[in-house]
Amino acid sequence: KQEVTQIPAALSVPEGENLVLNCSFTDSAIYNLQWFRQDPGKGLTSLLLIQSSQREQTSGRLNASLDKSSGRSTLYIAASQPGDSATYLCAVYTSGTYKYIFGTGTRLKVLA
Amino acid sequence: EPEVTQTPSHQVTQMGQEVILRCVPISNHLYFYWYRQILGQKVEFLVSFYNNEISEKSEIFDDQFSVERPDGSNFTLKIRSTKLEDSAMYFCASSVGPEMSNQPQHFGDGTRLSIL
């Protein structure tokens, strides 16, 4: 049964710092992995999707990497800004299923 | 860019009442999903639906829940007799399918369901 873990659970950093959010999963047989952003009380905004055959994806200041064999993904945020404050969710689509399994998220606060 | 739309954005219902949450998936998508997120908890899968059949469902999706695609555009989640613990944000998603590996699921903004 796929389990997805995210560490740290919460993170508070000063503006301008580069930071790394971690996601680990127990079953490496995946179709893809997606990183989402969620603002309080709001929906899910897709940030990056990495296919199982890919190593990384980049969008602006965001870079996501995938090491399928070790069951890990990282989301790198460069030059963090207060507007990046949100909860970041990792979701894994396991082969042979029809669903994403979500991690519990990392709650990020970027201080001005 | 096409979006998944959900209505209503907030639904307040008395315990024991039936509730229907509505979703309009992206028009060329073939797979449809419901997820829920209880306040402060992780997003949990409820059910996936393809070709007018349930493809997969979780333990949460018991006999109180049902899904339907009543016409060519809507996808609904019905909760027959709501309980307090059904209070959550419900997300609808859709994807192109059936080739799953390179196509993401697109999520709606959610319906916040409050059971009194």
Side-chain angles (χ1 to χ4, degrees):
Chain A
K1 179 184 168 186
Q2 181 73 271
E3 291 181 6
V4 181
T5 305
Q6 291 186 248
I7 53 172
L11 186 60
S12 187
V13 300
E15 182 177 6
E17 274 206 7
N18 302 325
L19 50 98
V20 175
L21 309 181
N22 297 290
C23 172
S24 61
F25 48 95
T26 54
D27 185 347
S28 62
I30 66 170
Y31 287 130
N32 62 61
L33 182 147
Q34 210 169 161
W35 283 93
F36 294 88
R37 168 185 173 137
Q38 185 176 34
D39 293 291
K42 301 294 185 183
L44 305 173
T45 301
S46 178
L47 298 173
L48 288 165
L49 171 79
I50 311 181
Q51 305 296 341
S52 61
S53 58
Q54 296 175 322
R55 284 282 195 168
E56 64 180 282
Q57 281 284 350
T58 299
S59 176
R61 293 182 294 108
L62 305 179
N63 175 276
S65 68
L66 174 65
D67 183 345
K68 202 174 65 162
S69 61
S70 67
R72 289 158 68 165
S73 176
T74 60
L75 179 67
Y76 176 83
I77 303 176
S80 58
Q81 303 169 356
D84 295 331
S85 299
T87 296
Y88 291 81
L89 302 176
C90 166
V92 175
Y93 202 117
T94 308
S95 302
T97 73
Y98 297 91
K99 64 192 179 209
Y100 275 105
I101 301 295
F102 282 78
T104 47
T106 293
R107 194 168 60 253
L108 172 66
K109 188 166 186 177
V110 181
L111 305 169
Chain B
E1 185 175 323
E3 291 181 341
V4 175
T5 56
Q6 291 186 241
T7 55
S9 56
H10 191 190
Q11 173 83 45
V12 182
T13 302
Q14 291 289 330
M15 186 172 60
Q17 296 294 307
E18 174 183 286
V19 67
I20 297 176
L21 308 183
R22 290 184 165 80
C23 170
V24 178
I26 295 173
S27 62
N28 66 333
H29 285 187
L30 300 176
Y31 277 91
F32 315 112
Y33 314 83
W34 283 101
Y35 294 79
R36 80 171 185 190
Q37 185 180 31
I38 294 170
L39 187 64
Q41 298 186 23
K42 64 166 75 175
V43 177
E44 301 172 289
F45 168 78
L46 291 178
V47 66
S48 59
F49 190 85
Y50 170 69
N51 200 25
N52 282 319
E53 287 184 351
I54 290 175
S55 305
E56 187 171 356
K57 62 182 181 179
S58 71
E59 294 169 354
I60 304 166
F61 194 87
D62 61 20
D63 292 343
Q64 293 297 312
F65 291 89
S66 61
V67 289
E68 192 179 29
R69 188 154 162 80
D71 53 42
S73 60
N74 290 284
F75 179 53
T76 62
L77 174 70
K78 181 193 292 185
I79 308 175
R80 228 174 309 278
S81 177
T82 50
K83 308 183 190 71
L84 293 176
E85 54 264 37
D86 293 328
S87 295
M89 181 79 95
Y90 288 80
F91 293 106
C92 174
S94 68
S95 65
V96 175
E99 297 83 23
M100 311 303 294
S101 64
N102 64 345
Q103 298 297 330
Q105 293 179 19
H106 296 257
F107 284 77
D109 287 339
T111 292
R112 180 167 300 285
L113 178 63
S114 299
I115 307 299
L116 304 179

